[in-house]
Amino acid sequence: MSRAIVSLNAGSSSIKFALFTLGPDGPEHAAAGKLEGIGTAPHLVARDADGAVLIDRNWESGAGLTHEALLRELFDWATQHLPGHEIIAIGHRVVHGGLAFARPLLVDDALLAALDALSPLAPLHQPHNLEAIRAIRALAPALPQVACFDTAFHHGRTETATRFALPRALHDKGIRRYGFHGLSYEYIARTLREIDPELARGRVIVAHLGNGASLCAMHDGKSVDTTMGFTALDGLMMGTRCGDIDPGVILHLQTQLGMSVTEVETLLYQQSGLLGVSGVSSDMRALHQSPDPHAGEAIDLFTWRAAREAGALVSSLGGVDGIVFAAGIGENDPVIRASICERLAWTGLTVDRDFNARNAPVISQADSRIIARIIPTDEERMIAFHTLGVLPATGGGQ
Ligand code: AMP
């Protein structure tokens, strides 16, 4: 029987999960999957470490199945079909740790109540993260669960980097720049320390470019500044989110165009970004293939905005020694990386065409003044590291 940890990332309509067995060198990836279409047409796919499909199941007329009901199905399936694995803990991605929680924590009643109180700060994510924790508590009350916060990595930033230019009383009420994608950035900082310790000690901009996208300025592996702020809407242009926007636009939409709060929320989170500008798709691959000139315009705006925000982070860092690309677009899209790097040529960055085309680990030229790397991110593995670290009896750590 091998001991295992499950990492869970529960969103509004999907639950991503990964199973790690505890090997001598730490967590080893054993299986991963995704339950999508919660609330509409649930679909579960899981694969083992070699990519072989373990389950591919649709729930016909499953629109009424709740997160809890589907987690129960997942739990039952895992118990029956993953024999030989003793699940010793579950680690969860929890989007908001607020001001109080700067490290992963074992879940208990008091923590759950405190995290509930943070739900208004992340109403689209936090309630689903907590619902999954509660559902598993009901299914397996004795199973330890660990909350890993997406905000935690950004805790050490200066007060200045967390402040909006709003009245102090609002800052004191928690209206401040928290930053997100922390589990991804922490994984990258950790990996960079292993593969390039000299660069890890320096000033690095990490570009997490996926459907959600942000940048993080790190010095010596610690977050100094980041593009997301109070919510995951801020900063870069994303798949369907607008990123940084003049707040006057929001006022105008409501007072002059008569849009309701819900309509504005839907517009900013689901209808903007690459999808809104292109009118074609939120998916970068689809935009590259589209003959529609608006698709090209959306791509151009995406890289212009990313380079512009990176320039701001160079200022926050007082210079830059390297840039790291991660996530779906960052890891796989040479065209986007080349365009962002070209726009950052003023930093002394030059990219090797061939390395970039091959998604090589280092894509900068040998004589480039700054190093450009690709590091595949792995938030699930970071959750597993954290979960192990919180369970001293396992002998694991970070
Ligand atoms: P993520 O949210 O990290 O899964 O990233 C999703 C984004 O990555 C989408 O815009 C995809 O089009 C993009 N993406 C994933 N794989 C590739 C690829 N091989 N080439 C270009 N873009 C990709």
Side-chain angles (χ1 to χ4, degrees), residues 43-61:
H43 177 214
L44 167 66
V45 179
R47 295 171 193 276
D48 68 14
D50 299 321
V53 175
L54 298 169
I55 182 171
D56 186 342
R57 176 172 175 196
N58 286 295
W59 281 264
E60 302 306 335
S61 52

Side-chain angles (χ1 to χ4, degrees), residues 208-212 274 282-286 288 327-329 332-334:
H208 177 110
L209 306 178
N211 197 30
L274 293 171
S282 63
D283 192 293
M284 192 58 93
R285 281 170 294 193
H288 284 308
I329 298 169
N332 298 297
D333 194 328

Side-chain angles (χ1 to χ4, degrees), residues 215-286:
L215 305 179
C216 180
M218 292 182 194
H219 193 188
D220 197 14
K222 297 187 182 62
S223 174
V224 168
D225 197 0
T226 188
T227 55
M228 280 181 173
F230 181 63
T231 67
L233 261 188
D234 201 6
L236 304 187
M237 174 182 182
M238 305 177 219
T240 60
R241 287 173 252 166
C242 61
D244 182 31
I245 188 171
D246 177 348
V249 172
I250 318 253
L251 299 174
H252 182 87
L253 294 173
Q254 294 184 300
T255 59
Q256 303 301 314
L257 302 189
M259 289 177 74
S260 69
V261 173
T262 309
E263 284 169 337
V264 172
E265 183 176 277
T266 305
L267 175 83
L268 302 181
Y269 275 96
Q270 286 161 28
Q271 298 170 342
S272 299
L274 293 171
L275 175 65
V277 175
S278 69
V280 172
S281 174
S282 63
D283 192 293
M284 192 58 93
R285 281 170 294 193

